[in-house]
Amino acid sequence: MNCTEFHQQLEFCEKGSVNSLSKAQAEHMRECELCEAYWQKHVVCGFLHAVSSVDAPAGLEARILAKASQKVSENSSQSRKVSWLAGAVAASLVLFSSVWLIDLFRPESPASEQMAQVKVSLPINQVSILPVMIESPSALPQVTISVNLGPSLSIEHYNGLRKLSWQAALNEGANIINLPVLVASEKGDKVIVTVESGDEMKTYEFLVEGQKNSSKNVNSINDSTI
Amino acid sequence: MKRAFSFALTPSPITSHFYLSVSTIISFMHKKTFEELFAPQIKPLFKVAYQWTLNSQDAEDLVQELALRVVDRVDEMNAIEKLRPWLVKIMYRLFVDEIRKKNARPLAYEHLVDEEVMKNLFVDSGSDPEAIVAIDQLGRELIANLKQLEHEQAVTLFLFEVEGYSLKEIADIQSVSEGTVKSRLHRGRKIMKKQLDTGTLLSLDPC
């Protein structure tokens, strides 16, 4: 075996796999310091990749975003200002509410989930951004997303519009829809989110209730994680 | 780059005037929110944090601390072209601060769990007992070498070899010169190659 063959054979094998070394290669390395150094670099690099190949724990994104939004909510309560979306919208419009995580099309996930016990509180007669996070295990190039709001809820600026449906591409991992929602009464109403991809469909329901005191708009975000 | 759906919507027969709605949503959400900016970064940042801490809980804590630090810097994040190196730089400072608090040396790497790492190490070595022993031995040598690295060397190695950052980017992340980064890389590689020889590998199966 010569050096070119050694390199070619190593390149064909999986990075860092020690058993990819043939006897011929090993014998060649004994005679060739350059190839031995090359193999050492190959093994070290593969080892570093192997050490790094850890799966992120379940719910990582939701936990991290929830705590971050909780900090924002606490700051908002203290300062009576809503500043973390400053510049994007008028300050009076936005009060961050919660993060909803939908695990999409996972095998263990049921086709429909009613989350009557899951509530989010938004201030009455004030537009709030309701982020809905859809966690997709893979990229889905074409899905249909539908959002249905109960009579007490509406999308800002659209004269009582309560039913939206559109097509979108989902990325692998977190995808976020920010809905500018207006709550008309303290009782609030249901929000139904449906995601369709090919023959698969998932529907989620949760409750949005109105809150008179907007400064106390801190929700139990962990409980709202699906 | 992940964006809110509102940037990729098409009108549906259900609501013929929804296109107008979408337009307004786009203008309404002209700048990205913290969630839109940070959510796609969480898993890659966790991987980097894990490389530094070699512990899932510590890695999550580090990313969480980072999120809390930058959550009120949305305007700044919107203006940054390459967000991840900027976040990694801040996370590195947090990591170094944490190390200083603990005053531990050789820092995070003493907490390395051999078994956990060995599970991820290398591909199936087949049924040849000699090959299994040889690979196991090599893996333990590599882990022992890794434990000898200073944390600056380990961070540099991971950023360069695994994450693909340039010398310049690593220098910026670690707030040192490119010469220092080169030196750390050289020393780190040298330590990692210690005891690596082919003597035990001659019995391995061909790929």
Side-chain angles (χ1 to χ4, degrees):
Chain A
M1 174 174 279
N2 60 32
C3 296
T4 305
E5 290 168 340
F6 177 90
H7 282 239
Q8 283 175 344
Q9 199 169 330
L10 204 57
E11 290 303 322
F12 275 121
C13 301
E14 190 175 344
K15 205 169 197 177
S17 57
V18 179
N19 60 335
S20 66
L21 195 68
S22 70
K23 284 183 182 179
Q25 279 180 302
E27 283 165 4
H28 174 74
M29 279 201 300
R30 277 186 161 177
E31 310 296 326
C32 179
E33 285 184 7
L34 285 176
C35 284
E36 185 176 41
Y38 183 83
W39 172 80
Q40 286 174 334
K41 189 182 176 192
H42 180 84
V43 167
V44 168
C45 191
F47 171 77
L48 295 175
H49 274 92
V51 169
S52 309
S53 62
V54 61
D55 292 330
L60 174 74
E61 288 167 324
R63 283 195 298 277
I64 285 173
L65 292 177
K67 281 189 186 172
S69 66
Q70 192 173 14
K71 182 192 172 190
V72 171
S73 297
E74 287 167 0
N75 290 347
S76 299
S77 293
Q78 287 168 3
S79 64
R80 306 290 185 199
K81 290 178 183 176
V82 182
S83 60
W84 82 293
L85 283 173
V89 292
S92 61
L93 288 180
V94 179
L95 197 59
F96 189 78
S97 57
S98 178
V99 175
W100 297 81
L101 172 67
I102 297 173
D103 269 344
L104 195 61
F105 304 134
R106 292 192 188 281
E108 69 275 16
S109 181
S112 178
E113 293 182 23
Q114 289 192 345
M115 299 173 294
Q117 77 281 10
V118 178
K119 294 178 185 176
V120 57
S121 298
L122 299 177
I124 295 175
N125 297 323
Q126 182 176 332
V127 176
S128 303
I129 295 298
L130 178 63
V132 178
M133 189 164 91
I134 300 176
E135 171 98 4
S136 181
S138 61
L140 298 172
Q142 189 170 5
V143 299
T144 302
I145 301 170
S146 302
V147 178
N148 283 280
L149 307 176
S152 298
L153 307 174
S154 62
I155 298 292
E156 172 63 355
H157 300 311
Y158 304 108
N159 300 323
L161 179 68
R162 293 192 294 272
K163 188 172 185 179
L164 312 177
S165 181
W166 68 94
Q167 292 183 326
L170 292 185
N171 297 305
E172 181 182 350
N175 299 266
I176 297 170
I177 312 170
N178 286 297
L179 296 171
V181 174
L182 183 67
V183 189
S185 74
E186 206 168 332
K187 184 187 162 204
D189 235 314
K190 281 194 301 188
V191 175
I192 303 171
V193 179
T194 304
V195 184
E196 295 175 73
S197 175
D199 296 334
E200 294 184 279
M201 183 171 82
K202 293 212 71 169
T203 300
Y204 301 89
E205 289 184 26
F206 52 90
L207 184 65
V208 176
E209 61 182 10
Q211 191 176 50
K212 281 184 177 172
N213 185 354
S214 61
S215 66
K216 291 181 180 177
N217 183 38
V218 180
N219 304 294
S220 177
I221 292 162
N222 287 337
D223 290 344
S224 67
T225 300
I226 303 163
Chain B
M1 186 181 293
K2 297 182 177 75
R3 300 179 73 94
F5 295 127
S6 48
F7 290 89
L9 304 181
T10 53
S12 156
I14 295 175
T15 52
S16 58
H17 61 293
F18 184 52
Y19 185 75
L20 182 64
S21 309
V22 171
S23 304
T24 310
I25 291 173
I26 288 171
S27 61
F28 186 80
M29 297 301 295
H30 178 64
K31 284 188 181 177
K32 289 185 177 180
T33 62
F34 174 75
E35 283 77 10
E36 289 170 311
L37 291 161
F38 198 77
Q41 306 291 340
I42 290 176
K43 284 183 179 172
L45 287 169
F46 174 82
K47 186 182 165 199
V48 171
Y50 182 83
Q51 291 162 1
W52 299 351
T53 60
L54 295 171
N55 178 292
S56 290
Q57 188 56 55
D58 289 348
E60 181 169 341
D61 290 347
L62 194 54
V63 178
Q64 183 69 74
E65 183 64 25
L66 172 68
L68 296 175
R69 287 294 177 99
V70 299
V71 69
D72 52 359
R73 297 171 72 176
V74 180
D75 285 346
E76 201 176 342
M77 290 170 74
N78 268 290
I80 290 170
E81 190 181 351
K82 287 188 174 181
L83 189 57
R84 193 169 303 160
W86 183 78
L87 291 168
V88 169
K89 183 175 183 176
I90 297 172
M91 192 165 75
Y92 180 71
R93 287 183 196 151
L94 293 171
F95 173 62
V96 172
D97 287 347
E98 189 61 27
I99 286 170
R100 285 177 182 156
K101 275 186 211 165
K102 290 180 179 173
N103 196 25
R105 293 187 75 83
L107 311 169
Y109 290 87
E110 67 182 348
H111 305 303
L112 195 73
V113 181
D114 293 12
E115 287 67 28
E116 187 179 344
V117 175
M118 286 300 285
K119 276 193 294 188
N120 294 329
L121 194 60
F122 306 126
V123 295
D124 181 20
S125 54
S127 56
D128 181 352
E130 288 185 11
I132 292 170
V133 170
I135 288 169
D136 187 74
Q137 182 184 333
L138 184 65
R140 293 189 188 285
E141 281 168 0
L142 284 164
I143 288 170
N145 292 347
L146 187 64
K147 284 180 175 180
Q148 290 177 31
L149 295 178
E150 294 290 331
H151 84 274
E152 295 94 344
Q153 293 166 341
V155 167
T156 306
L157 266 179
F158 277 116
L159 287 175
F160 188 82
E161 301 284 10
V162 180
E163 298 303 317
Y165 283 97
S166 67
L167 295 174
K168 189 180 175 188
E169 286 172 321
I170 297 170
D172 184 50
I173 286 167
Q174 296 187 321
S175 301
V176 295
S177 68
E178 283 188 46
T180 303
V181 174
K182 283 182 189 171
S183 170
R184 286 174 179 172
L185 264 182
H186 175 74
R187 288 178 190 167
R189 284 174 176 153
K190 195 174 175 183
I191 291 170
M192 287 305 297
K193 288 177 182 175
K194 273 200 302 187
Q195 308 298 323
L196 279 189
D197 59 56
T198 57
T200 56
L201 298 170
L202 290 174
S203 62
L204 300 183
D205 291 331
C207 64

